[in-house]
Amino acid sequence: MDLIETIRTRHSVRAFLDDPISREILEKIVADASCAPSAINMQPWEIHVVLGDERKRLSRRLLKSLREKALTCGPGSAKPLSDKFMRRSRDCADQMAPLIREMGMDFKAFVNEGSLNFYGAPAVILIFLDECFPTERMIDIGSFLGYLVLATAAHGLASCPIGLVKSYEDEIKDQLNILESKNLAVSVAIGKPDVKAAINRFSSTRADLKEFVRWIE
């Protein structure tokens, strides 16, 4: 697939088939993603790939914690968001809601439980950054994430970055025996899309350039 076509057509999938993905394919995807740029080539990302039954056990642990802690999806902003950001968020939710209802599911339950179940994906990639790095190195993590979702699409698979898992970082570290010095940045669900699921007809819109670009000539 052409790179620009991949950039323009790739979208997050929120219902996956349970079909296993081979380690060989996942290794190729991660290797391609590791070509992402990073400051002075430090490549600070640390990757944990969780598959099959281990992924399901992790989800059961996270869903149990969801019932106990009730930490749910949200913008996670430090200050009140401006109208334009709130509008984009509302528009996204308004487009997703009828598709989720079509599946006979409650919106909040679908998003929160779905996130912690990685929307049924057979593989999940957890991206960590060691605590020795300053927060500025999250820029490198963002580069890796961008390459990762594009590489996944190029290999004929679907993906969905999921941020809610950050709220359950302690459970993830405990379940997977990950050092406390490692900070979870984001997770990415990977698999084959369930083309029959209504939610997978959703593709988010993009703001016009005039909303976020200032030209200085």
Side-chain angles (χ1 to χ4, degrees):
M1 184 182 290
D2 174 78
L3 175 59
I4 299 302
E5 181 185 0
T6 303
I7 290 172
R8 291 188 174 275
T9 59
R10 181 263 158 210
H11 67 280
S12 291
V13 161
R14 294 174 178 83
F16 291 87
L17 298 176
D18 192 35
D19 298 355
I21 307 302
S22 73
R23 178 166 174 170
E24 179 184 8
I25 292 296
L26 290 167
E27 285 180 345
K28 289 179 180 178
I29 290 171
V30 175
D32 291 340
S34 71
C35 294
S38 61
I40 54 175
N41 198 37
M42 286 189 291
Q43 305 169 63
W45 43 77
E46 296 185 18
I47 309 303
H48 295 259
V49 185
V50 190
L51 306 173
D53 290 340
E54 285 297 330
R55 201 285 296 163
K56 293 176 182 177
R57 276 191 284 271
L58 175 61
S59 287
R60 286 195 293 270
R61 172 80 179 269
L62 297 179
L63 289 168
K64 180 176 182 293
S65 293
L66 171 65
R67 291 189 290 270
E68 295 169 350
K69 299 169 66 174
L71 298 174
T72 58
C73 285
S77 54
K79 297 181 179 180
L81 296 176
S82 67
D83 289 344
K84 69 177 180 181
F85 298 124
M86 292 301 298
R87 172 175 48 79
R88 293 172 190 169
S89 179
R90 284 194 301 268
D91 288 348
C92 180
D94 289 346
Q95 293 172 51
M96 290 175 62
L99 299 174
I100 293 172
R101 286 197 298 270
E102 185 178 325
M103 297 168 66
M105 303 184 72
D106 172 76
F107 183 91
K108 289 184 178 180
F110 176 82
V111 172
N112 293 315
E113 295 176 15
S115 292
L116 298 182
N117 193 40
F118 305 102
Y119 295 110
V124 60
I125 291 179
L126 302 169
I127 307 175
F128 285 81
L129 181 70
D130 192 277
E131 65 180 11
C132 69
F133 290 104
T135 56
E136 287 81 2
R137 293 284 59 78
M138 289 297 289
I139 295 171
D140 299 334
I141 299 300
S143 294
F144 183 92
L145 174 62
Y147 273 51
L148 179 66
V149 297
L150 292 177
T152 300
H155 285 279
L157 296 173
S159 63
C160 184
I162 299 171
L164 178 59
V165 294
K166 175 66 177 176
S167 298
Y168 296 88
E169 181 172 1
D170 290 342
E171 288 86 348
I172 290 173
K173 289 179 179 178
D174 181 64
Q175 183 74 19
L176 302 178
N177 195 28
I178 296 171
L179 296 175
E180 281 298 316
S181 60
K182 310 302 179 181
N183 294 320
L184 177 62
V186 69
S187 69
V188 183
I190 292 179
K192 298 176 183 177
D194 181 352
V195 297
K196 296 180 180 179
I199 190 60
N200 285 338
R201 300 202 303 269
F202 169 72
S203 182
S204 57
T205 59
R206 288 294 177 266
D208 190 276
L209 292 185
K210 64 184 179 183
E211 289 193 33
F212 61 91
V213 178
R214 177 188 176 213
W215 301 94
I216 302 171
E217 299 177 305

